[in-house]
Amino acid sequence: MGRLFVVNLEGKIYSCKYCKTHLALCEDVVSKSSTVSMGKLILFNKVVNVTIGEKEERQMTTGMHAVADLFCVGCGSLVGWKYETAHEKSQKYKEGKSVLERFKFTWSRWKPLTGSIMEHTSQEVMLMIA
């Protein structure tokens, strides 16, 4: 399979709820208005640190779509899916975009440690490590 490299993001980020691996930036949010029986969904232009499962046809509330599940590279948890193809003309804007399920991630502000560790407050260090 090869070596996996984890991308660390800076700014307001969404992270895996289970292992804290960075998944997306707040600035890449397209929509927060979707919900399913399990809870809220957030549509992103771009996500990182995920592996993509097999493409399959799935009937969604907005019609038939070809989607592929997304798994966190840190812990293997199912975190959402990617829209490969939308069959409804009104849903074409979703193609190539990814959905993360709200109950499977957290968000925080993150910045890399720079200089001496003594330059940061303990709260900043805990936030950066988490």
Side-chain angles (χ1 to χ4, degrees):
M1 178 173 158
R3 178 180 245 180
L4 292 177
F5 292 93
V6 176
V7 176
N8 287 314
L9 302 171
E10 293 183 38
K12 287 185 177 180
I13 58 161
Y14 291 96
S15 303
C16 176
K17 175 181 175 179
Y18 306 105
C19 70
K20 307 298 185 228
T21 298
H22 296 179
L23 298 173
L25 288 168
C26 287
E27 62 197 47
D28 286 324
V29 171
V30 174
S31 172
K32 292 183 178 182
S33 62
S34 299
T35 58
V36 291
S37 59
M38 296 170 284
K40 284 186 147 189
L41 305 174
I42 300 182
L43 184 66
F44 291 89
N45 277 319
K46 178 183 173 185
V47 296
V48 297
N49 299 323
V50 294
T51 55
I52 301 173
E54 294 291 317
K55 184 170 133 178
E56 64 180 48
E57 294 292 324
R58 203 176 285 169
Q59 182 66 42
M60 310 286 223
T61 56
T62 56
M64 186 64 82
H65 298 275
V67 299
D69 286 334
L70 299 175
F71 301 91
C72 173
V73 297
C75 64
S77 308
L78 174 65
V79 293
W81 63 86
K82 180 177 182 176
Y83 286 103
E84 299 288 346
T85 309
H87 299 294
E88 301 285 328
K89 190 174 185 176
S90 65
Q91 299 298 306
K92 291 287 187 187
Y93 74 96
K94 293 179 181 178
E95 290 181 352
K97 293 178 176 51
S98 300
V99 167
L100 296 180
E101 298 177 71
R102 180 63 190 102
F103 68 97
K104 295 188 178 179
F105 64 84
T106 60
W107 79 270
S108 64
R109 199 176 285 278
W110 192 86
K111 60 182 177 181
L113 287 173
T114 56
S116 166
I117 193 82
M118 302 309 288
E119 294 174 16
H120 297 275
T121 67
S122 60
Q123 186 177 12
E124 285 179 319
V125 172
M126 291 307 294
L127 192 60
M128 289 183 257
I129 293 172

